[in-house]
Amino acid sequence: MSKKILFVEDEAALQKTLGDVLEQEGYKVMSALDGEAGLKAARAENPDLILLDLILPKMHGFEVLKALKSEEATKDIPIIVLTNLESMGDIEKALELGATTYLVKASYTLEEVVSKIKKALGEQA
Amino acid sequence: MMSSKEILEQLNIRAHCKKYGLGMWRCPQFLFLLMGAVIIASAIITYVLGTRYVADPDVVSLIVLVVTLILFILTFSITRSLEGLAEANRLKSEFVSIVSHQLRAPLSNLKWALEILISGRFGKIEGKSADYLQILADNTKRMAELVSSLLIVSRIEQGRLPLHNAEFSLPELAKEAIAAFKPIASASNVEILLELSQPDLPAAFGDSAQLKIVMENFVDNAVRYTRGSGKVVVSIALRSPGLIFSVKDGGVGIPKEDQKHIFQKFFRSSNALKYQTQGSGLGLYIAKSIVEKSGGKIGFKSEQDKGSTFWFTIPIKK
């Protein structure tokens, strides 16, 4: 059974690049284009990992993170925040709210992001 | 009508000065308050002098009133224009910051899409087409670096370059910074050496991520401006009351007339332009801001055609 990754990201180009690569790596990728859809999909699909952008339409990433971590069914799903916000305040807040890892898009190559995802899933990177 | 909250906010001078990223003595709100105090003092002095030397109390109060009014109008218009300038400057920094942020998202997309094409994940691309992809990737990287630099500059100018100070090993950080340039250096036959004055140097105190930017800038410049083969020596030593980090090269050097401008924003030495057309002229400006905010000093020694040594100092534990 391949693992399910929920990718909450409003940028279609990013959905495609990272999504394609993750599918090639053998994961089942589900995408959500805004915060509300992301939260709904997380509740319905029970993914193994969530990739979460912060600046999202309809519902901010922090709100989504807070909601997911407060619900019994979703609170144990590892969440990787993947964003272009890089202020120390945002990083601290995300980790405080229970994010597993915080990645700034501009600072990582795609390969590095994939290996962080594998690590968060407890696989050999 | 201003609510009492707004009036209180107007009185919060520190917050205003911080918003503009200005020190007290360059901040319009503070200067206005200071001039207010001067006006009151001068009104009192005029009154005291007036009562002593002019007999008629009506004339005295008129003089006091006129002097106070003139001073007040002058002060008001001067600080108003200063405030306008500070506001324009703030908006400019904010504009640069917003534009840089907006450019980041498409640049990340470009970077990752190119990475996929070059990695050959979905089919290998070879020959001349691969060369063109590499050109695209290199230039995307250059653009991303420029955008990062602009973002740092806008933060410096808004006075909100956050430093997260902690103890760290300066030699370890130097090794990381050097490692990043090893491939470029060996491709152009430049050798980078690291020399420590003693094996047991004390830990430095500062923001290691920001200081790494400074180190990388020094090493990058040293490699970039070395002609042909050569040696770049990175050294770390004790220099009371802290540590000194320096990078020495035998490169093109900086002409005397350019030396006083070298830390200015966007400045590029005539000598630099002769050998390297790439570069934004932001690196050393950023370096100076970071080092000075970390409580260190920055400087250089350079001779045209002989080479340069750039150094900075950093405190050890506070």
Side-chain angles (χ1 to χ4, degrees), chain B residues 22-216:
Chain B
L22 295 172
M24 279 295 186
W25 290 102
R26 293 176 58 210
C27 175
Q29 273 81 9
F30 175 72
L31 293 177
F32 187 66
L33 201 74
L34 188 74
M35 282 308 285
V38 170
I39 290 169
I40 292 167
S42 62
I44 292 168
I45 292 167
T46 318
Y47 175 77
V48 169
L49 290 178
T51 45
R52 183 166 298 178
Y53 299 109
V54 185
D56 188 349
D58 285 348
V59 178
V60 173
S61 45
L62 196 70
I63 292 171
V64 171
L65 199 70
V66 168
V67 169
T68 311
L69 210 65
I70 290 171
L71 279 174
F72 183 78
I73 291 168
L74 268 176
T75 308
F76 188 71
S77 52
I78 290 170
T79 45
R80 258 320 261 278
S81 72
L82 275 177
E83 206 180 319
L85 285 176
E87 178 66 12
N89 196 34
R90 189 185 69 83
L91 287 174
K92 181 215 67 189
S93 296
E94 205 171 274
F95 171 76
V96 172
S97 164
I98 290 168
V99 170
S100 314
H101 263 299
Q102 294 299 325
L103 281 171
R104 277 200 140 172
L107 277 171
S108 302
N109 295 344
L110 262 179
K111 191 180 83 172
W112 285 1
L114 284 164
E115 191 190 329
I116 291 177
L117 286 176
I118 290 169
S119 73
R121 265 179 185 274
F122 303 115
K124 197 138 188 68
I125 297 168
E126 282 163 333
K128 277 213 166 19
S129 299
D131 297 344
Y132 286 115
L133 279 181
Q134 198 54 52
I135 291 175
L136 283 175
D138 291 344
N139 282 280
T140 305
K141 185 162 172 260
R142 230 173 102 190
M143 235 186 318
E145 282 166 358
L146 179 61
V147 166
S148 295
S149 295
L150 284 172
L151 212 52
I152 298 176
V153 167
S154 72
R155 283 197 194 119
I156 290 169
E157 295 193 338
Q158 288 171 313
R160 47 183 196 92
L161 181 75
L163 289 184
H164 298 276
N165 293 338
E167 278 187 57
F168 67 95
S169 158
L170 203 58
E172 284 307 313
L173 198 67
K175 275 179 207 158
E176 281 175 37
I178 291 169
F181 290 96
K182 275 265 158 79
I184 309 166
S186 55
S188 44
N189 281 320
V190 176
E191 196 185 355
I192 310 178
L193 303 169
L194 177 63
E195 287 177 359
L196 308 179
S197 66
Q198 60 203 82
D200 55 338
L201 285 163
F205 187 83
D207 185 325
S208 56
Q210 299 290 344
L211 287 161
K212 196 173 163 201
I213 295 176
V214 181
M215 291 179 163
E216 285 172 345

Side-chain angles (χ1 to χ4, degrees), chain A:
Chain A
M1 225 344 236
S2 57
K3 288 186 173 167
K4 279 191 286 188
I5 296 176
L6 172 63
F7 190 12
V8 191
E9 164 70 62
D10 61 328
E11 188 95 28
L14 221 54
Q15 281 276 5
K16 172 134 183 79
T17 48
L18 186 53
D20 280 354
V21 169
L22 288 174
E23 269 172 11
Q24 203 197 29
E25 293 284 333
Y27 299 108
K28 186 169 184 293
V29 181
M30 293 167 296
S31 54
L33 291 163
D34 63 67
E36 270 176 25
L39 191 56
K40 230 160 107 186
R43 284 172 182 150
E45 301 284 342
N46 193 31
D48 296 287
L49 180 115
I50 298 170
L51 291 170
L52 182 65
D53 191 9
L54 287 183
I55 301 178
L56 288 166
K58 294 189 186 169
M59 194 175 180
H60 192 277
F62 281 144
E63 300 291 315
V64 179
L65 185 56
K66 214 184 290 176
L68 287 173
K69 286 294 168 189
S70 67
E71 289 170 26
E72 196 54 42
T74 52
K75 76 173 172 33
D76 294 324
I77 304 171
I79 297 174
I80 294 182
V81 171
L82 189 61
T83 177
N84 261 329
L85 299 179
E86 55 170 350
S87 84
M88 217 53 198
D90 289 326
I91 297 173
E92 274 161 14
K93 186 168 178 197
L95 296 178
E96 224 164 77
L97 287 173
T100 309
T101 317
Y102 190 105
L103 302 177
V104 178
K105 290 171 193 165
S107 326
Y108 291 93
T109 65
L110 208 45
E111 290 299 335
E112 286 167 335
V113 173
V114 171
S115 86
K116 299 262 184 198
I117 290 170
K118 285 184 177 167
K119 208 173 141 199
L121 282 167
E123 295 170 9
Q124 203 70 38

